[in-house]
Amino acid sequence: DIEMTQSPSSLSASVGDRVTITCRASQDIKINLAWFQQKPGEAPKSLIYAASSLESGVPSNFSGSGSGTEFSLTISSLRPEDFATYYCHQYKTYPFTFGPGTKVDIK
Amino acid sequence: DVQLVESGGGLVQPGGSLRLSCAASGFTFSDHHMDWVRQAPGKGLEWVGRIREKGRGDTTEYAASVKGRFTVSRDDSKNSLYLQMNSLKTEDTAVYYCARSPLGRGPFDHWGQGTLVTVSS
């Protein structure tokens, strides 16, 4: 199975900060990488697919980059509604796997 | 609007069975792969299984943790997805989400609200 790791596991930031979350895959997954946002008590929400394609309706302060085994999610200017847990996910190979998540909370 | 509504969760004893349903609306259900993803209390996301769209033969894939115990099926005439769960274990306790996966791009572009399955004696 492809193992996905994320760093950091959590971070504290302020509104307006630039935040970058890193995701690493244990094998080459090309650009078959997605990012999801989840708030407490809610279903996950798709943000980015194919490593850098923004999901329809997702604000442009979110961006993704990377290929192969190293990827990142950047929030250019943190807004109050962006405080949540973020998961990366590989869909190159079955079984599909998720990273453990990165919790972004308010400093 | 795309809507996915899960149902069928509840309390079940270890070794028991449960069938979850996901009612889809607002899109052409038969054109999409459909997946189940679960989340144990306080934990991360775990993919459970997929059923491909009819053009690919309604074939299925499963996580190793559920293979042989869980079965994903679909009824395109009813715009419905199902998860039959047998030989349930305490570690299957989780919120179960159904998710839509369009062809030709990343998966899980829409999710249901989830249904809680608790396996306990």
Side-chain angles (χ1 to χ4, degrees), chain A residues 36 43-46 98, chain B residues 2-4 6 37-38 45 97-100 107-114:
Chain A
F36 298 91
K45 173 187 173 183
S46 178
F98 289 88
Chain B
V2 172
Q3 276 209 317
L4 298 168
E6 301 94 338
V37 177
R38 68 183 180 183
L45 301 171
Y97 298 99
C98 66
R100 184 183 87 160
F108 319 148
D109 69 335
H110 285 86
W111 299 64
Q113 85 289 349

Side-chain angles (χ1 to χ4, degrees), chain A residues 46-105:
Chain A
S46 178
L47 297 176
I48 285 169
Y49 62 95
S52 61
S53 295
L54 203 64
E55 194 70 69
S56 174
V58 172
S60 58
N61 63 317
F62 287 93
S63 63
S65 65
S67 67
T69 61
E70 285 216 17
F71 303 86
S72 63
L73 173 71
T74 298
I75 309 172
S76 60
S77 179
L78 209 55
R79 304 168 309 161
E81 58 266 37
D82 299 334
F83 292 97
T85 299
Y86 293 86
Y87 295 93
C88 64
H89 162 68
Q90 71 81 18
Y91 52 96
K92 172 72 168 59
T93 304
Y94 295 107
F96 293 163
T97 46
F98 289 88
T102 296
K103 185 176 181 181
V104 178
D105 61 22

Side-chain angles (χ1 to χ4, degrees), chain B:
Chain B
D1 281 5
V2 172
Q3 276 209 317
L4 298 168
V5 180
E6 301 94 338
S7 60
L11 176 63
V12 60
Q13 291 189 337
S17 298
L18 208 58
R19 188 195 197 205
L20 305 183
S21 299
C22 171
S25 61
F27 66 101
T28 306
F29 181 73
S30 58
D31 286 350
H32 291 76
H33 301 332
M34 295 296 298
D35 293 79
W36 289 96
V37 177
R38 68 183 180 183
Q39 187 169 36
K43 302 297 184 182
L45 301 171
E46 180 186 17
W47 174 76
V48 172
R50 158 171 286 189
I51 187 164
R52 296 182 180 86
E53 51 89 26
K54 190 175 183 178
R56 286 164 173 76
D58 286 353
T59 51
T60 54
E61 302 284 349
Y62 296 96
S65 58
V66 307
K67 196 168 187 178
R69 300 188 299 123
F70 289 12
T71 302
V72 181
S73 62
R74 64 192 297 162
D75 185 339
D76 290 347
S77 69
K78 296 182 178 179
N79 289 341
S80 292
L81 175 71
Y82 305 102
L83 181 65
Q84 177 67 43
M85 303 185 293
N86 298 331
S87 303
L88 281 160
K89 307 175 182 180
T90 56
E91 54 263 40
D92 294 320
T93 294
V95 173
Y96 285 73
Y97 298 99
C98 66
R100 184 183 87 160
S101 293
L103 274 64
R105 51 143 286 168
F108 319 148
D109 69 335
H110 285 86
W111 299 64
Q113 85 289 349
T115 187
L116 176 62
V117 172
T118 302
V119 184
S120 174
S121 54

Side-chain angles (χ1 to χ4, degrees), chain A residues 13-60:
Chain A
S14 301
V15 172
D17 284 354
R18 180 183 181 89
V19 166
T20 297
I21 299 168
T22 298
C23 174
R24 288 186 173 85
S26 61
Q27 301 174 31
D28 184 355
I29 59 169
K30 311 299 183 189
I31 59 166
N32 296 287
L33 190 283
W35 290 96
F36 298 91
Q37 175 194 68
Q38 188 179 32
K39 299 177 182 179
E42 297 184 6
K45 173 187 173 183
S46 178
L47 297 176
I48 285 169
Y49 62 95
S52 61
S53 295
L54 203 64
E55 194 70 69
S56 174
V58 172
S60 58

